[in-house]
Amino acid sequence: MSKGKISIDKHFIRNTAVDDRIFSAFVEHLGDVIYNGIYNPSHPQANEDGFRKDVIDLVKNLQLTGIRYPGGNYICSYNWEDTVGPAEERPVRADLAWQQTEPNTVGLAEFEKWTKAVGSSLIMAVNLSTRGAVDAANLVEYCNHPGGTYYSDLRRKHGHENPYGIKVWCVGNEVDGPWNIGTKRAEVYGWDAAEAAKAMRRIDKDIELVAVGSSGTQLPTYLEWDRVVLEHVYDSCDFISLHRYMGMPDIDNPSTYDQKDIGDYLELAGRLERNIKDVVAACDYVKGRKHSDKTMYISMDEYNVIDIIPDDEQNHQEKKLWETGPSGHSRGLSMKSTLLFGLSMLTLLRHSDRIRIACQSILINGGGLVMCEGNDDAWVNGSYYIFQHCSLYGRGKVLEEVQEGTLYNTKTCNDVSALDSVCIYHEDEQELDIFVVNKSGEQMDFTLTPAFFRELEPIEHLVVTAENPEAHNSAEHKDVIQSVSRNDIISKENRIQCKLDKYSWNVLRIKER
Ligand code: AHR
């Protein structure tokens, strides 16, 4: 049996309010995310717009604040003008990022409608790889200007009298990545982004702008890119982006840890934490150099865990060229990756003083939260429940905590704690929600010692786990990993006690009497 203990004090607050936009996601014109994913007019569950109702319902239950769109790498050859107006008149394009055929059947208006149907709002990206400041400003004009100008009247002609009012805009995507068309040097991108920001804000001064930060720690330009870009955009942008796909060989370099050792694998969350601290340091360095009073925030606008695919499966994956909506990697996320996802969400919440936007990526298919290939019924990964728990119960004050967990050694790390946690206090509701991961392969005896709270009364204990850390959900077996509610929290002498399953994600929901 391992042990875990957290001590908290009602007055010791780490962050007074988590920004709601941390509970956002990313949707790209990539593989079967849009076509054959959310949009499939021949699916039995399709609505009058061709969108799958089962997918809409599942996404709705996540209470996403924002959805970043339309790319991703897709943005590098994106012509927004192709995606508006009568669908039958839109050009079919060769998408240079993914070498897919883009029919533009789902364009800006359609996707905006879908975003509304799932109860969310758009976070829009502009192409700053192969297009420029004026094209970006024209898109802002089309979306946000009330009328009386060419592009705003074009929107009205297209049947959208009222502006879309899109608040957050990403000024490009991964422009430092050699995999993209239109890669730029930091000085060039920084200059272009500052000019684009100027033009976009001339149309709408109230928008918030995200500049492109380093796309990955593996790049030789890592952090130096951020410094140079920030020198250019510090006054004109509000956020710098950070992307992280944990478990991806390029990024996490499998020769530096043992992929088969679960302990080692779960410690990859520590690399995300380091990545965040690095970018915060770059922001604050530039702030200092500029003698600025402004704080630069992080938009972690793409993050996920990518399961390691066994070699035999990987070798059989052929790249399909010039298809529309080709099915991609439809394997469910393993329980150990689900836990790593949970640890990432804890890291995000812990750093929510500087991370103000975060988009889980990719929302649909490709190892995302919701899986909906072909004409099958939709199903969800274990990460869906973790995201949902955080979205429903994570919007409050983040408390400081002292954590003590049984220490153990992994293959390459010594003295790692079996416990990780974040405590959220909802003052108005007088509710405490404690997210806890038991990283160990043993049941955990967990205790919470709270100070200055009134008497505490358990509400429920939500658990996500599976007997086998390699187990995953699939179209055939949808509920191998699910969220269950238990009634096993003990409140005794103002301490909270509970047993946590091995390798489990937990939410302890407690109320002040
Ligand atoms: O989500 C897939 C891709 O990952 C995105 O297009 C890109 O921004 C990132 O490299």
Side-chain angles (χ1 to χ4, degrees):
M1 172 93 66
S2 63
K3 281 199 183 310
K5 188 178 162 194
I6 309 175
S7 306
I8 53 172
D9 181 313
K10 193 177 191 168
H11 307 106
F12 293 171
I13 294 155
R14 189 181 171 96
N15 180 9
T16 45
V18 172
D19 193 316
D20 282 352
R21 295 172 298 181
I22 238 182
F23 307 107
S24 298
F26 170 53
V27 170
E28 178 168 14
H29 283 249
L30 156 64
D32 57 356
V33 176
I34 301 267
Y35 303 107
N36 294 328
I38 66 172
Y39 178 80
N40 183 351
S42 57
H43 192 276
Q45 295 249 32
N47 69 13
E48 63 286 3
D49 297 313
F51 290 125
R52 288 181 57 160
K53 284 184 282 192
D54 53 346
V55 175
I56 290 178
D57 289 343
L58 285 168
V59 175
K60 221 187 212 166
N61 290 336
L62 291 169
Q63 297 196 5
L64 290 168
T65 307
I67 300 182
R68 179 173 175 257
Y69 174 83
N73 298 339
Y74 174 72
I75 204 77
C76 71
S77 64
Y78 179 67
N79 291 319
W80 69 265
E81 297 87 340
D82 297 343
T83 79
V84 298
E88 59 290 357
E89 291 171 20
R90 296 179 196 162
V92 174
R93 292 281 187 195
D95 153 40
L96 299 182
W98 303 111
Q99 293 174 284
Q100 293 173 177
T101 300
E102 173 55 60
N104 283 311
T105 319
V106 175
L108 180 56
E110 292 76 19
F111 192 74
E112 205 266 346
K113 194 167 182 190
W114 185 81
T115 310
K116 288 243 164 64
V118 299
S120 191
S121 62
L122 263 185
I123 297 174
M124 193 72 197
V126 300
N127 175 358
L128 216 67
S129 301
T130 56
R131 301 191 73 186
V134 171
D135 307 301
N138 290 344
L139 179 54
V140 178
E141 182 188 325
Y142 183 90
C143 293
N144 287 9
H145 200 70
T149 61
Y150 178 76
Y151 286 111
S152 57
D153 284 346
L154 190 62
R155 181 199 68 239
R156 294 165 73 202
K157 193 173 138 203
H158 291 158
H160 304 276
E161 182 58 33
N162 293 324
Y164 292 121
I166 300 170
K167 183 96 175 132
V168 179
W169 293 79
C170 303
V171 190
N173 175 76
E174 297 194 351
V175 190
D176 58 337
W179 52 86
N180 267 320
I181 308 292
T183 311
K184 293 181 182 178
R185 291 196 312 277
E187 301 75 23
V188 177
Y189 169 73
W191 185 274
D192 289 351
E195 292 305 307
K198 197 196 288 175
M200 292 163 85
R201 280 199 205 279
R202 289 226 170 138
I203 299 290
D204 184 348
K205 65 175 177 27
D206 295 327
I207 54 179
E208 290 181 88
L209 298 174
V210 183
V212 171
S214 287
S215 308
T217 49
Q218 80 282 14
L219 292 175
T221 49
Y222 176 59
L223 276 193
E224 183 57 7
W225 168 278
D226 301 78
R227 179 191 68 78
V228 174
V229 168
L230 284 164
E231 300 270 5
H232 286 85
V233 303
Y234 206 85
D235 297 326
S236 53
C237 289
D238 310 281
F239 301 87
I240 184 103
S241 70
L242 189 164
H243 291 179
R244 184 97 194 182
Y245 290 94
M246 265 152 300
M248 217 157 108
D250 283 2
I251 296 167
D252 283 321
N253 190 1
S255 68
T256 59
Y257 71 102
D258 185 341
Q259 290 184 54
K260 296 211 167 66
D261 184 73
I262 299 180
D264 254 16
Y265 186 65
L266 296 181
E267 289 314 303
L268 291 179
R271 300 189 188 189
L272 167 66
E273 183 131 43
R274 170 68 199 267
N275 195 170
I276 294 167
K277 286 181 176 166
D278 285 349
V279 177
V280 168
C283 292
D284 292 347
Y285 172 77
V286 176
K287 177 180 183 172
R289 289 267 302 161
K290 286 186 172 284
H291 304 285
S292 173
D293 290 331
K294 173 178 169 178
T295 300
M296 182 62 65
Y297 292 101
I298 296 178
S299 170
M300 203 162 114
D301 49 39
E302 289 186 34
Y303 72 92
N304 204 2
V305 176
I306 305 294
D307 241 334
I308 299 156
I309 307 173
D311 281 347
D312 50 335
E313 273 184 50
Q314 193 137 35
N315 295 337
H316 284 98
Q317 282 193 342
E318 270 173 50
K319 188 166 178 195
K320 298 167 191 147
L321 295 184
W322 309 118
E323 287 186 23
T324 298
S327 111
H329 164 52
S330 57
R331 218 169 166 273
L333 203 65
S334 64
M335 186 57 220
K336 67 177 189 200
S337 292
T338 304
L339 274 190
L340 181 56
F341 182 83
L343 291 165
S344 316
M345 298 262 357
L346 295 185
T347 308
L348 259 173
L349 286 168
R350 216 173 1 251
H351 291 278
S352 56
D353 55 332
R354 291 304 287 270
I355 303 176
R356 295 262 171 112
I357 300 176
C359 305
Q360 178 280 333
S361 166
I362 235 166
L363 174 62
I364 310 282
N365 289 333
L369 303 184
V370 176
M371 306 288 283
C372 52
E373 259 201 304
N375 274 354
D376 288 350
D377 292 337
W379 51 280
V380 303
N381 271 312
S383 48
Y384 174 93
Y385 300 111
I386 290 177
F387 188 97
Q388 186 181 46
H389 294 163
C390 292
S391 176
L392 296 184
Y393 308 119
R395 300 172 195 239
K397 289 183 178 180
V398 183
L399 297 181
E400 291 287 1
E401 39 178 304
V402 177
Q403 298 177 356
E404 292 165 73
T406 302
L407 299 180
Y408 62 99
N409 295 339
T410 71
K411 267 277 174 57
T412 65
C413 311
N414 287 341
D415 290 340
V416 302
S417 171
L419 165 109
D420 196 11
S421 61
V422 166
C423 299
I424 306 286
Y425 183 48
H426 304 274
E427 196 157 23
D428 293 346
E429 294 82 13
Q430 298 181 330
E431 181 174 326
L432 251 180
D433 290 304
I434 304 160
F435 303 117
V436 195
V437 172
N438 176 7
K439 296 196 264 170
S440 75
E442 294 173 2
Q443 192 184 51
M444 178 180 278
D445 208 348
F446 174 80
T447 310
L448 170 78
T449 317
F452 295 106
F453 288 89
R454 296 212 306 273
E455 201 183 331
L456 295 173
E457 179 182 30
I459 305 173
E460 65 175 335
H461 172 196
L462 298 167
V463 188
V464 178
T465 192
E467 190 46 39
N468 177 0
E470 301 296 337
H472 55 85
N473 291 348
S474 64
E476 298 76 40
H477 304 284
K478 296 185 172 55
D479 293 326
V480 177
I481 306 176
Q482 49 181 312
S483 170
V484 292
S485 172
R486 292 185 190 156
N487 191 9
D488 58 356
I489 302 176
I490 300 165
S491 176
K492 212 165 90 188
E493 291 152 12
N494 221 22
R495 277 172 179 228
I496 293 294
Q497 288 175 323
C498 196
K499 298 267 188 280
L500 311 181
D501 291 358
K502 65 173 188 180
Y503 300 130
S504 61
W505 162 268
N506 305 270
V507 189
L508 307 185
R509 301 190 53 222
I510 302 156
K511 222 176 154 37
E512 282 182 298
R513 249 197 250 270

